[in-house]
Amino acid sequence: MKKMQNRLSPTAWFILLWCFGFLSLGLIAGFFKLLLSLAY
């Protein structure tokens, strides 16, 4: 696993983190929509 970390470039890390953050935001938004639909 450490070899893989060293091989990835900073830009690749940036893109991976950006995608991960975007997906997590989408999941949180969907979760809140679900809560709101259940509440009303």
Side-chain angles (χ1 to χ4, degrees):
M1 197 68 190
K2 279 209 170 155
K3 278 181 187 171
M4 185 74 177
Q5 283 180 338
N6 292 339
R7 205 179 301 147
L8 277 173
S9 61
T11 45
W13 271 119
F14 178 75
I15 291 162
L16 278 171
L17 283 172
W18 193 86
C19 287
F20 183 71
F22 190 72
L23 280 171
S24 59
L25 274 175
L27 279 171
I28 291 164
F31 184 66
F32 272 109
K33 272 187 187 171
L34 187 72
L35 280 178
L36 280 171
S37 67
L38 284 172
Y40 294 110

